[in-house]
């Protein structure tokens, strides 16, 4: 009790004494004993009660218990009342303070609040929603996060039916069974299930994991079913993706036929990562060729095919396949709405078909092999609840990467097989080619040997012997030239063609080659016409160029019919020396005109011997000079081979 406007202590019990740090109080003013109370605002409260005569009720009023020898200063909380003390006349004379320590109460309540807050934070962090179902009334109480799992707004009152409806139809029966079981005492009340939810508005499908427990009363009646729910879409997807990648990798490793492989990848992709999957590869002609297609059901597949038939390339254009090929970048269209369909459609019929297809979203992935786009993998989602999300992109890109590696392996394997086939074919051609002159040589040698053995050599007419020797010499030349071709091939394949370039006159060079072959042409009744005057000089390797010219002339004689002319022209066009050799033979079909310049490639009957190497060697030599060789387009009868050479080729000096 304090009295007077100066608040002089009249009474202080032991607890109050302790609060004052055991200071002497009675007879002294509050100011004197505890000056700190002025700053704490306590004196102001006393003054207020003293002046107004109104009692003041304090709740959980913080007070600092001063430090003593055996304990530090301590915050405590007090509940109490400051009661005015009135005189007989009713005027306020002092203040009576009753207070009790409620620190333990305050602290324990704070601890509970703290624990609740931590639980809430943990649930927030883990995005755990909670539900509380009353099996007797059927009412469900659930928090905002649990509602969110089902796509329900925060303010609607939730019923069990609403929750069930939001669950994906495929999972409803399973969930119903799990709930029924959890509500039955024999299950121990345990509820633990993962299922898909499309949400109240039928949005994107997501996976949830629900855990709960049912409480039963003494008569085994379920009275409360409570639990938690959590979105596990990301984990689920990660697992699915891992599994899918493992499957894809197995399939990709299984076959070395790239068409089979791609077909299987497309089949695997549906329904795992797409509702429809189309794989297109780029052909050597630069066109796209569809090699695989898979769809969720036959109807959609047929529809896709029908759209392609009726509106070829419309889908490809709409999706931007060309752009993917051009940029090598994936193209992601998360949402295809009605507006977009309208833009895609060529006409009403097309729009109708697109609507029926139910396109939702697409991802187009480039199949990249050795930095080159070799095809496009299109993934299409067609169900209203399924859409591609940004986080799936990385995963499907990985799928595309693996597919591309597999295609490359398969193609390399196919090429290797083809190369082995060509090599075998070449070996049989080569041995046949080498055998022909060898047989003829052996025959001549054995005839000559017989003449020697029977002593008839001296009596054999000289011209007959000379004829035999000429045959032998020709066959030996043929053998030598075949060997030379083979050696050239092996040298050029190992990039060892060395050019000895010097100032060379093409006109003179062609003239000499024609002269060297005049006799052979004569025998075949072929006349060479040469249209070349003056000089065309350049920095070339004359021996190698001679090889090119001779080769082309030999072919003209070999493939051109007897008695028809072969016209040879040399001229200069835009600083390039041009050589044309035109025969009146069977010509070369359009589709063979590129191929015949490849190794071992032939377009003639096997009866006309040859290794299929001459034009390849010629091309290598011409290209080493920075020039080109080709069969001229659209000429009349016969073939016209053209060689175009820059006068000098600074970048390629002496090696290819
Ligand atoms: P080879 O003559 O040994 O077969 P080449 O590389 O010289 O090899 O020629 C490749 C193919 O090109 C020949 O097999 C033939 O089919 C075709 N070819 C070359 N020159 C002519 C030509 N003047 N007329 C018709 N076909 C030709």
């Amino acid at each position: 009790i304090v009295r007077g406007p100066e608040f002089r202590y009249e009474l202080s019990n032991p607890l109050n004494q302790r609060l004052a740090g055991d200071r002497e109080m009675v007879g002294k003013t509050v100011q004197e004993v505890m000056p700190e109370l002025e700053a704490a605002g306590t004196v102001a409260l006393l003054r207020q009660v003293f002046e107004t005569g109104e009692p003041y009720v304090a709740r959980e009023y913080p007070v600092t218990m001063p430090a003593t020898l055996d304990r530090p200063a301590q915050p405590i909380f007090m509940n109490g009342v400051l009661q005015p003390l009135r005189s007989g006349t009713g005027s306020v004379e002092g203040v009576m303070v009753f207070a009790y320590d409620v620190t333990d109460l305050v602290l324990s309540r704070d601890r509970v609040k703290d624990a609740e807050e931590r639980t809430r934070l943990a649930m927030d962090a883990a995005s755990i929603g909670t539900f509380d179902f009353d099996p007797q009334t059927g009412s469900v109480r659930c928090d905002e996060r649990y509602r969110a799992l089902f796509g329900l707004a925060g303010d609607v009152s939730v019923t069990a039916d609403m929750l069930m409806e939001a669950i994906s139809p495929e999972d409803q029966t399973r969930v119903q069974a799990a709930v029924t079981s959890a509500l039955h005492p024999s299950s121990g009340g345990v509820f633990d299930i993962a299922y898909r939810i499309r949400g109240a508005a039928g949005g994107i499908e997501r996976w949830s994991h629900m855990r709960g427990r049912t409480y039963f009363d003494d008569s085994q009646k379920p009275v409360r079913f409570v639990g938690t729910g959590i979105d596990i879409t990301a984990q689920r997807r990660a697992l699915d993706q891992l599994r899918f990648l493992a499957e894809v990798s197995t399939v990709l490793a299984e076959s070395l036929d790239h068409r089979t492989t791609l077909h299987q990848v497309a089949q695997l992709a549906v329904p795992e990562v797409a509702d429809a999957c189309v794989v297109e590869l780029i052909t050597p002609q630069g066109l796209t060729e569809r090699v695989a297609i898979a769809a969720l059901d036959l109807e959609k597949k047929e529809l896709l095919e029908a759209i392609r038939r009726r509106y070829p390339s419309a889908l490809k254009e709409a999706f931007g396949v060309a752009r993917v090929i051009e940029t090598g970048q994936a193209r992601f269209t998360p949402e295809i709405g009605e507006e977009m369909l309208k833009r895609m459609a060529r006409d009403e019929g097309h729009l109708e078909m697109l609507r029926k297809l139910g396109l939702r979203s697409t991802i187009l992935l480039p199949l990249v092999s050795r930095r080159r786009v070799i095809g496009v993998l299109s993934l299409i989602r067609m169900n209203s609840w399924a859409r591609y999300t940004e986080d799936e992109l990385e995963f499907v890109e990985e799928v595309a990467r693996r597919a591309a590696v597999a295609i490359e392996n398969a193609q390399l394997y196919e090429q290797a097989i083809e190369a082995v086939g060509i090599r075998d074919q070449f070996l049989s051609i080569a041995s046949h080619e080498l055998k022909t002159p060898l047989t003829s040589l052996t025959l001549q040698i054995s005839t000559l040997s017989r003449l020697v053995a029977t002593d008839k050599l001296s009596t054999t007419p000289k011209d007959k012997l000379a004829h035999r020797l000429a045959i032998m010499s020709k066959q030996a030349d043929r053998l030598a030239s075949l060997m030379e071709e083979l050696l050239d091939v092996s040298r050029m394949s190992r990039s060892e063609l060395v050019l000895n370039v010097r100032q060379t006159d093409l006109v003179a060079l062609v003239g000499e080659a024609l002269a060297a072959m005049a006799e052979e042409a004569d025998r075949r009744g072929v006349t060479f016409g040469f249209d070349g005057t003056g000089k065309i000089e350049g920095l070339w390797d004359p021996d190698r160029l001679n090889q090119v010219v001779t080769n082309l002339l030999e072919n003209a004689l070999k493939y051109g019919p007897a008695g028809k002319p072969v016209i040879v022209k040399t001229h200069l066009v835009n600083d390039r020396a041009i050589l044309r050799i035109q025969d009146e033979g069977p010509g070369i079909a359009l589709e063979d005109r590129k191929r015949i310049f490849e190794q071992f490639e032939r377009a003639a009957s096997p009866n006309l011997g040859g290794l299929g190497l001459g034009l390849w060697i010629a091309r290598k030599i011409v290209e080493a000079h920075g020039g080109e060789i080709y069969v001229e387009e659209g000429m009349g009868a016969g073939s016209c081979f053209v060689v175009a050479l820059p006068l000098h080729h600074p970048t390629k000096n002496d090696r290819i």
Side-chain angles (χ1 to χ4, degrees):
I1 299 172
V2 290
R3 265 193 205 277
E6 73 279 16
F7 305 130
R8 194 173 295 279
Y9 280 109
E10 186 178 299
L11 183 92
S12 166
N13 77 342
L15 174 63
N16 195 50
Q17 206 72 28
R18 273 228 322 275
L19 280 177
D22 292 327
R23 282 172 275 194
E24 202 48 54
M25 305 175 86
V26 177
K28 296 187 175 162
T29 65
V30 170
Q31 221 87 18
E32 286 163 354
V33 181
M34 290 194 282
E36 69 267 24
L37 290 189
E38 181 74 58
T42 316
V43 175
L45 279 180
L46 286 171
R47 205 167 284 134
Q48 178 194 321
V49 174
F50 189 83
E51 279 163 12
T52 62
E54 293 290 327
Y56 176 83
V57 179
R59 279 186 216 290
E60 296 169 16
Y61 189 78
V63 178
T64 305
M65 192 122 96
T68 61
L69 285 176
D70 49 356
R71 60 171 166 74
Q74 217 179 329
I76 63 168
F77 296 92
M78 320 235 15
N79 277 2
V81 59
L82 279 67
Q83 190 75 38
L85 206 64
R86 291 175 194 275
S87 67
T89 61
S91 63
V92 180
E93 288 187 333
V95 182
M96 205 158 36
V97 181
F98 298 97
Y100 51 94
D101 185 345
V102 290
T103 310
D104 285 348
L105 198 80
V106 171
L107 289 185
S108 64
R109 202 199 45 221
D110 280 357
R111 271 197 292 275
V112 171
K113 244 170 61 193
D114 212 39
E116 272 179 353
E117 179 67 10
R118 272 206 300 273
T119 312
R120 201 181 56 76
L121 282 176
M123 288 179 44
D124 271 349
S127 292
I128 298 175
T130 56
F131 70 89
D132 190 338
F133 175 64
D134 184 338
Q136 299 311 312
T137 64
S139 79
V140 191
R141 280 192 299 133
C142 42
D143 68 2
E144 219 168 288
R145 272 191 306 269
Y146 198 77
R147 285 161 193 268
L149 289 176
F150 290 82
L152 293 165
D155 45 4
V156 291
S157 59
V158 178
T159 65
D161 283 347
M162 280 160 78
L163 297 179
M164 190 53 83
E165 260 169 48
I167 295 171
S168 301
E170 305 89 301
D171 288 347
Q172 286 180 358
T173 320
R174 201 162 54 85
V175 177
Q176 190 63 63
V179 171
T180 310
S181 156
L183 292 176
H184 198 272
S186 64
S187 68
V190 177
F191 182 64
D192 189 337
I193 183 174
Y195 53 83
R196 286 162 288 181
I197 300 176
R198 279 183 205 166
I204 301 172
E205 190 166 80
R206 301 192 69 82
W207 275 93
S208 288
H209 186 181
M210 310 300 184
R211 279 207 182 96
R213 166 165 288 281
T214 309
Y215 295 92
F216 301 93
D217 67 6
D218 292 343
S219 63
Q220 298 292 324
K221 225 167 54 190
V223 287
R224 199 172 170 200
F225 175 33
V226 292
T228 58
I230 180 170
D231 188 311
I232 52 161
T233 313
Q235 295 98 301
R236 190 89 195 189
R237 190 178 289 147
L239 270 178
D240 282 351
Q241 291 179 347
L242 271 180
R243 193 167 42 78
F244 180 70
L245 268 187
E247 277 179 53
V248 165
S249 304
T250 313
V251 164
L252 290 178
E254 257 167 16
S255 164
L256 271 171
D257 169 39
H258 73 272
R259 277 165 197 277
T260 313
T261 304
L262 287 175
H263 187 71
Q264 276 167 329
V265 169
Q267 296 294 333
L268 259 186
V270 176
E272 212 68 55
V273 292
D275 297 324
C277 175
V278 180
V279 187
E280 277 146 321
L281 287 186
I282 298 169
T283 64
Q285 290 76 38
L287 305 168
T288 52
E289 181 200 3
R290 199 187 64 199
V291 286
I293 179 167
L296 205 53
D297 51 52
L298 200 64
E299 195 194 339
K300 297 264 170 166
K301 188 173 169 179
E302 278 170 2
L303 199 53
L304 260 177
E305 305 261 21
I307 294 178
R308 278 173 168 270
R309 264 196 312 275
R310 200 168 319 164
Y311 304 94
S313 77
L315 277 182
K316 265 201 284 197
E317 273 167 33
F319 290 159
V321 171
R323 207 102 188 91
V324 174
I325 293 172
E326 199 181 292
T327 61
Q329 300 282 318
R331 207 173 154 86
F332 172 41
T333 314
E335 175 83 61
I336 300 175
E338 174 70 12
E339 274 314 302
M340 200 159 167
L341 288 187
K342 279 191 182 142
R343 259 181 285 135
M344 282 163 74
R346 294 278 160 91
D347 55 40
E348 260 316 302
H350 193 194
L351 182 62
E352 203 42 55
M353 287 171 110
L354 291 176
R355 279 200 193 116
K356 220 163 133 200
L357 200 58
L359 287 176
R360 256 304 128 198
S361 83
T362 59
I363 299 183
L364 268 64
L365 298 151
L367 297 168
V368 182
S369 156
R370 289 191 239 168
R371 303 231 183 106
R372 206 166 47 85
V373 180
I374 55 169
V376 177
L377 175 75
S378 305
L379 299 173
I380 305 165
R381 285 230 200 266
M382 300 197 281
N383 294 317
S384 57
W385 45 267
R387 238 153 286 178
Y388 286 113
T389 51
E390 197 80 47
D391 50 340
E392 271 170 293
L393 206 62
E394 209 176 309
F395 160 66
V396 289
E397 276 176 339
E398 178 60 30
V399 174
R401 257 195 298 283
R402 294 189 187 197
V405 169
I407 297 168
E408 187 185 336
N409 285 344
Q411 284 179 341
L412 285 176
Y413 175 74
E414 283 155 22
Q415 279 167 16
I417 291 288
E418 203 181 324
V420 168
I422 290 176
R423 190 200 60 189
D424 288 348
Q425 193 193 349
F426 165 70
L427 283 178
S428 75
I429 294 174
S431 48
H432 176 259
E433 284 301 306
L434 291 169
K435 230 158 128 188
T436 316
L438 205 59
T439 313
S440 161
L441 253 179
T442 319
L443 195 76
Q444 297 303 333
I445 291 170
S446 67
T447 312
L448 287 177
S449 305
R450 224 182 17 257
L451 289 177
V452 172
T454 52
D455 243 347
K456 287 186 185 151
L457 194 62
S458 49
T459 55
T460 312
K462 222 174 177 179
D463 60 332
K464 278 207 169 148
L465 283 178
H467 178 64
R468 285 197 192 285
L469 284 171
I471 293 175
M472 287 170 77
S473 155
K474 203 178 142 211
Q475 300 304 348
D477 282 351
R478 175 84 189 123
L479 270 178
S481 98
L482 284 171
M483 297 306 296
E484 201 49 48
E485 270 193 355
L486 288 174
L487 278 174
D488 268 348
V489 168
S490 85
R491 263 189 236 125
M492 289 179 195
S493 300
R494 281 181 285 133
S495 313
E496 279 179 16
L497 180 66
V498 178
L499 294 183
N500 293 315
V501 296
R502 59 187 129 100
Q503 198 68 13
T504 306
D505 174 15
L506 183 68
V507 183
L509 187 142
V510 173
E512 281 160 28
L514 284 169
M517 295 188 66
E519 205 181 318
E520 175 72 18
D522 221 30
R523 274 205 298 113
R524 292 177 181 255
V526 172
T527 47
F528 282 138
F530 183 32
D531 176 0
T533 46
K535 281 184 173 191
I536 299 177
E537 288 201 314
L539 272 180
W540 301 306
D541 179 330
D543 292 338
R544 286 301 187 183
L545 271 198
N546 179 53
Q547 213 179 332
V548 174
V549 177
T550 308
N551 206 303
L552 293 176
L553 290 175
E554 274 173 357
N555 276 352
L557 288 185
K558 179 163 148 194
Y559 298 106
K564 294 280 176 152
V566 172
I567 308 296
V568 183
K569 277 186 191 160
T570 50
H571 49 120
L572 194 67
V573 180
N574 298 335
D575 275 350
R576 292 213 307 175
I578 309 286
L579 164 70
R580 274 198 160 71
I581 298 178
Q582 164 95 56
D583 63 43
E584 290 188 19
I588 296 159
L590 212 58
E591 64 269 23
D592 295 328
R593 286 189 186 169
K594 247 183 126 62
R595 182 174 69 80
I596 50 171
F597 291 98
E598 296 297 330
Q599 237 173 334
F600 312 131
E601 290 289 350
R602 313 194 63 230
S605 135
N607 296 338
L608 287 165
L611 294 175
L613 288 173
L615 288 181
W616 181 77
I617 293 169
R619 176 165 71 89
K620 286 282 161 189
I621 294 171
V622 170
E623 284 176 355
H625 282 92
E628 51 181 337
I629 178 167
Y630 53 91
V631 177
E632 194 150 78
E633 294 277 334
M635 294 306 289
S639 339
C640 180
F641 281 84
V642 180
V643 175
L645 292 169
L647 299 184
H648 54 89
H649 181 48
T651 51
K652 281 252 164 69
N653 37 25
D654 58 355
R655 262 170 193 273
I656 58 162

